[in-house]
Amino acid sequence: MKKVIVLLSGGLDSATTLYYAKGQGFSVHALIFDYGQRHGKEIKCAVAVAKAARCPFEVVKISLPWKGSALLDKNIKVPHRRKLDAKDIPVTYVPARNIIFLSFAASYAEALGAEKIFIGANAIDYSGYPDCRPDFFAAYSKVLEKGLKTGVEGKKIRVETPLIRKTKTQIIRLGIQLQVPYKLTWSCYEGGRRPCGSCDSCRLRDKGFSELNIQDPLFKKV
């Protein structure tokens, strides 16, 4: 069985991507990052999703002391109910985050003998982050081709973005088909007991569930 790496944040998109890769028959290894983000809830959720999928996982702790994002610096407020515009990069953008994560994933993939890296990036219903766009991933794939031993030897490690051109509604519909345990995921930029419902990530998630007339399991009464 061919090995692949899946970047797993604990959110809706990355969980769907993990189950998608697993459904393709790959031996999935999840890579989870503790990078000093605003709250640790998403890390716990990522671990829970990996365990539910019965996938081996690694939690990698890294430090970004320069911060530069509302997701790293609690002195910067997370925007709520802002106008969602993909041309406007919000303060929740973490400088070079996907470049950093993919570099760790590439190292892991080469050491493990994995042939693909899956990431749940999306360029349709998203907050406008530049490192979630198709042209970025095309350029980064060229970097791996030139900068890795495997690439030089002609054994390319490919970056796969199966959700890149899907709406949140399409992603959730796919996830339901794949039996993704969305009740274990966390998308909110805040780390409260329940999602705030008004940050960019909550609103995009709500859009997907609402358009399918399905209740988000995170809001179901116990």
Side-chain angles (χ1 to χ4, degrees):
M1 190 179 293
K2 295 179 179 179
K3 299 174 185 176
V4 299
I5 309 300
V6 176
L7 296 179
L8 185 61
S9 70
L12 184 151
D13 293 345
S14 69
T16 304
T17 300
L18 185 147
Y19 273 76
Y20 172 83
K22 186 180 177 185
Q24 295 297 302
F26 292 113
S27 173
V28 174
H29 296 254
L31 188 57
I32 302 165
F33 290 98
D34 176 354
Y35 62 101
Q37 54 265 61
R38 197 175 187 92
H39 58 80
K41 193 160 187 173
E42 63 179 25
I43 300 168
K44 293 178 181 178
C45 288
V47 169
V49 169
K51 288 181 176 179
R54 297 181 180 179
C55 295
F57 63 90
E58 295 282 348
V59 179
V60 176
K61 186 176 179 62
I62 58 178
S63 175
L64 302 173
W66 41 83
K67 302 186 185 300
S69 167
L71 298 189
L72 295 171
D73 188 347
K74 291 185 178 180
N75 292 317
I76 302 174
K77 291 184 178 180
V78 170
H80 291 268
R81 303 193 185 284
R82 78 178 185 97
K83 182 181 178 181
L84 295 175
D85 184 353
K87 295 178 183 178
D88 178 25
I89 301 173
V91 295
T92 50
Y93 163 72
V94 177
R97 180 172 60 179
N98 279 347
I99 295 174
I100 295 167
F101 288 178
L102 285 170
S103 296
F104 273 91
S107 176
Y108 186 21
E110 196 166 51
L112 189 67
E115 65 174 37
K116 296 177 185 285
I117 299 166
F118 281 82
I119 181 170
N122 176 260
I124 304 298
D125 287 335
Y126 78 126
S127 294
Y129 300 155
D131 55 0
C132 286
R133 299 171 183 168
D135 55 351
F136 162 72
F137 292 106
Y140 196 85
S141 293
K142 292 292 184 182
V143 170
L144 296 186
E145 194 176 319
K146 299 296 183 181
L148 294 179
K149 176 176 180 286
T150 47
V152 172
E153 293 177 345
K155 302 172 185 177
K156 298 178 183 178
I157 294 176
R158 300 185 183 277
V159 178
E160 299 285 344
T161 55
L163 310 184
I164 196 77
R165 298 189 186 278
K166 293 184 181 294
T167 65
K168 272 291 186 289
T169 303
Q170 292 171 328
I171 292 168
I172 294 170
R173 184 184 289 120
L174 172 63
I176 291 170
Q177 293 171 355
L178 295 170
Q179 298 184 320
V180 178
Y182 285 134
K183 65 181 180 180
L184 299 179
T185 65
W186 186 262
S187 302
C188 184
Y189 291 147
E190 306 284 5
R193 292 180 62 188
R194 288 166 65 87
C196 72
S198 58
C199 69
D200 288 6
S201 190
C202 277
R203 291 167 65 201
L204 290 169
R205 178 176 173 133
D206 178 66
K207 178 177 181 286
F209 279 105
S210 296
E211 289 180 355
L212 288 171
N213 293 314
I214 298 172
Q215 185 179 32
D216 186 336
L218 294 187
F219 287 98
K220 284 185 178 179
K221 293 182 180 179
V222 179

